[in-house]
Amino acid sequence: MKIRELPAHQIHKLLVKKEISCQEIVSETFKVIDEKEKEVHAYISLYQEKSLRQAKSIDEKIKNGETILPLEGIPIGIKDNICICGEKTTCASKILENFISPYDATVIRRLKENGLIFIGKTNMDEFAFGSSTENSYFGPTHNPWDLERVPGGSSGGSAAAVAANETILALGSDTGGSIRQPAAFCGVVGLKPTYGRVSRFGLVAFASSLDQIGPIAKDVTDSALLLNVIAGYDPLDSTSVNKPTPDFTHALIPEVKGIKIGIPKEYFISGIEPEVGKNIKGAIKLLEEAKADIEEISLPHTEYGIATYYIVATAEASANLARFDGIRYGYRSKNSKTLTELYENSRAEGFGAESKRRIMLGTYVLSAGYYDAYYLKGQRARTLIKEDFDRAFEKVDAILTPISPSTAFKIGERIKDPLKMYLSDIFTISANLAGIPGISIPCGFSQQKLPVGLQILAPVFGEEKIFQIAFALEQKLK
Ligand code: GLN
């Protein structure tokens, strides 16, 4: 394997043995970026000089015989809705095009303490609204497996950067599937942790009751290592849960004997591409051969997932985006005579079409006359969806499903039809509504050589079970 293709845990070994230097790794990463970025467009900002300087000081440390932490010196790309102090955080929008973060997100502080090297900020759908990264103000990211196709979204830049070897690790954020679906489309590993496991402090909020930051990596081991670094209680995020973080690498046991895995019948519907179904069924067979207990289950309220999500998520988004008013942050329109005009023009000129759609939908479902009919009902449906999972997890340890009904679609194919785009998330959004963790791991290819993604879900704080099954399956699918 070439250096550029190696996962972090293997690079770490080479660094410790002094068979490679950190400067070589970072230079190699920027060489790949030079070669591929014009076509892939995974990044919004790049920090070449800073990262080379940091690599040099880590090399000094290694030379002096100091020990390094497991991910020290490893390049990482950061989704551009996570604040790094002194750097731009654009959320791929015009309204925040020149916004500079005045502080570090908690995950960034943790990455810094662990010596990871920031390569740059990755492209995304504006404010994380989307499933294809086509909603970026800076133009779309292209899928490295087929440049005419989308990388998924909204963390499409992060997933594409890892898949193209333009970084070794990346962070994404997942409100309804935005880590897992692009990971699936790009053939990499993406994890949405349990709600409350990772601090959201310094993540620009989309829907605060659904958002989680999580790792995007080349394999399951790297994903566990990165979660080790970013997880943990944070007093700065009132929804972060005060619970000790285990060492997730201890869960990486290639053994599934006796583990009960549920297959929800509602997820194997007629609209799913035959190639996706075939690959997922192949993986289920491998687990059966490894003596996992596979059992059909039912999540009866699955059909309400999309409708519920687009009520709850847009309601919260419309409230969260109210702060971008042309006064406090970012873009301010120059053509206004009154204060009201300033608000209106700044927002009209600063937000893209999808953001406006979400603000309008969200404001509508929260408005006095419609609150009970939509928002309240949405919250009730959310509880029913959560209870489906509670009941299922009384019987099984984990749930296995496809990530998306299709593989990566063509750029332009769904962007004019928002409803069709929203349906891409049908298998991922329920985990956010229920607050449970979920992973996407690569599970073979379609005939067109496009990656297929498999999802494993577990009860809240069940990441270890997820890692165990994912690791076992990864060994078998190799
Ligand atoms: N695609 C979903 C949406 O557009 C999910 C986005 C996300 O997880 N950030 O809302």
Side-chain angles (χ1 to χ4, degrees):
M1 229 192 233
K2 291 192 201 138
I3 290 194
R4 58 175 65 179
E5 288 164 8
L6 293 178
H9 57 96
Q10 287 186 28
I11 298 263
H12 176 73
K13 286 192 191 129
L14 298 176
L15 279 173
V16 171
K17 285 197 275 183
K18 299 191 179 119
E19 284 177 21
I20 192 171
S21 74
C22 196
Q23 287 168 90
E24 282 172 276
I25 293 160
V26 173
S27 305
E28 177 72 5
T29 303
F30 278 98
K31 202 170 141 208
V32 181
I33 290 173
D34 266 354
E35 287 166 24
K36 300 199 179 161
E37 191 52 7
K38 247 193 235 105
E39 290 180 328
V40 176
H41 187 223
Y43 286 97
I44 292 177
S45 325
L46 286 164
Y47 312 138
Q48 185 158 8
E49 256 174 53
K50 262 192 205 162
S51 49
L52 278 166
R53 240 183 291 137
Q54 199 186 341
K56 203 167 162 210
S57 76
I58 293 171
D59 282 337
E60 288 291 316
K61 236 177 130 174
I62 299 173
K63 211 171 104 201
N64 295 335
E66 287 177 52
T67 48
I68 54 164
L69 295 164
L71 293 180
E72 195 157 352
I74 302 294
I76 185 164
I78 306 293
K79 187 174 181 179
D80 207 10
N81 57 354
I82 301 174
C83 293
I84 302 182
C85 185
E87 304 289 354
K88 277 186 189 173
T89 298
T90 70
C91 290
S93 69
K94 177 176 178 183
I95 206 155
L96 291 182
E97 187 178 6
N98 295 308
F99 172 71
I100 298 194
S101 320
Y103 56 78
D104 276 335
T106 297
V107 291
I108 295 299
R109 178 176 57 73
R110 286 171 175 273
L111 294 173
K112 283 183 176 172
E113 285 164 4
N114 281 271
L116 283 96
I117 298 182
F118 302 123
I119 294 300
K121 288 295 208 66
T122 57
N123 198 14
M124 54 185 280
D125 286 297
E126 183 174 317
F127 288 102
F129 301 149
S131 310
S132 67
T133 316
E134 290 167 287
N135 292 329
S136 168
Y137 172 63
F138 302 103
T141 296
H142 298 250
N143 190 316
W145 293 93
D146 176 348
L147 295 169
E148 285 177 16
R149 290 177 188 268
V150 304
S154 65
S155 314
S158 287
V162 174
N165 302 317
E166 292 185 50
T167 180
I168 296 176
L169 296 170
L171 284 188
S173 66
D174 191 311
T175 307
S178 275
I179 290 176
R180 290 162 288 157
Q181 185 255 24
F185 281 12
C186 292
V188 296
V189 176
L191 175 85
K192 181 200 91 72
T194 303
Y195 184 77
R197 173 76 94 181
V198 176
S199 168
R200 294 181 294 110
F201 179 76
L203 167 71
V204 179
F206 161 1
S208 311
S209 77
L210 304 163
D211 299 339
Q212 270 292 285
I213 297 174
I216 298 183
K218 289 180 201 274
D219 66 14
V220 176
T221 306
D222 275 9
S223 175
L225 284 165
L226 186 49
L227 187 63
N228 275 352
V229 170
I230 61 171
Y233 175 61
D234 178 15
L236 297 175
D237 170 4
S238 60
T239 60
S240 123
V241 176
N242 196 349
K243 196 175 157 60
T245 310
D247 180 348
F248 293 106
T249 60
H250 292 162
L252 305 174
I253 321 160
E255 174 70 66
V256 288
K257 196 170 165 209
I259 295 184
K260 291 199 185 78
I261 301 175
I263 312 293
K265 59 172 189 248
E266 293 81 1
Y267 283 57
F268 291 82
I269 43 170
S270 55
I272 143 171
E273 273 178 18
E275 296 270 311
V276 172
K278 206 173 100 202
N279 279 284
I280 302 293
K281 289 198 178 116
I284 296 175
K285 196 147 166 267
L286 289 175
L287 288 168
E288 264 175 339
E289 284 164 13
K291 305 234 165 13
D293 271 340
I294 306 287
E295 137 175 18
E296 189 183 85
I297 58 161
S298 172
L299 299 167
H301 296 95
T302 300
E303 62 173 305
Y304 304 110
I306 294 263
T308 305
Y309 171 85
Y310 277 97
I311 287 172
V312 175
T314 56
E316 293 185 23
S318 71
N320 278 325
L321 294 187
R323 74 193 66 180
F324 305 111
D325 55 4
I327 305 281
R328 284 173 286 191
Y329 310 86
Y331 178 80
R332 177 178 301 172
S333 170
K334 292 193 181 57
N335 321 310
S336 317
K337 290 190 191 73
T338 63
L339 182 62
T340 309
E341 254 181 56
L342 178 83
Y343 292 145
E344 285 172 357
N345 291 341
S346 299
R347 286 168 69 84
E349 291 159 28
F351 283 126
E354 184 61 26
S355 299
K356 288 177 186 159
R357 192 174 293 131
R358 306 262 173 145
I359 292 168
M360 287 192 287
L361 274 171
T363 309
Y364 181 76
V365 301
L366 287 174
S367 59
Y370 294 101
Y371 184 91
D372 287 359
Y374 293 107
Y375 187 70
L376 210 61
K377 210 175 199 173
Q379 291 293 14
R380 293 208 173 108
R382 182 177 186 174
T383 303
L384 294 176
I385 289 167
K386 186 193 162 287
E387 286 170 354
D388 279 359
F389 283 105
D390 291 346
R391 263 191 298 276
F393 288 127
E394 281 169 13
K395 285 203 292 189
V396 296
D397 302 306
I399 293 173
L400 189 152
T401 79
I403 282 286
S404 178
S406 74
T407 50
F409 45 90
K410 288 247 167 79
I411 292 177
E413 198 181 300
R414 298 193 187 170
I415 195 75
K416 298 232 162 60
D417 185 348
L419 273 184
K420 210 167 165 198
M421 187 71 92
Y422 294 175
L423 284 170
S424 330
D425 307 316
I426 188 157
F427 298 149
T428 47
I429 50 177
S430 297
N432 302 73
L433 290 168
I436 59 174
I439 202 169
S440 171
I441 60 166
C443 174
F445 291 87
S446 68
Q447 267 167 356
Q448 289 164 297
K449 299 251 173 328
L450 296 169
V452 172
L454 174 149
Q455 174 166 245
I456 304 165
L457 302 167
V460 285
F461 294 104
E463 279 87 349
E464 286 156 292
K465 195 56 90 203
I466 288 183
F467 280 131
Q468 182 177 351
I469 301 168
F471 184 70
L473 209 45
E474 183 180 62
Q475 306 299 310
K476 295 190 191 310
L477 287 165
K478 258 182 191 162

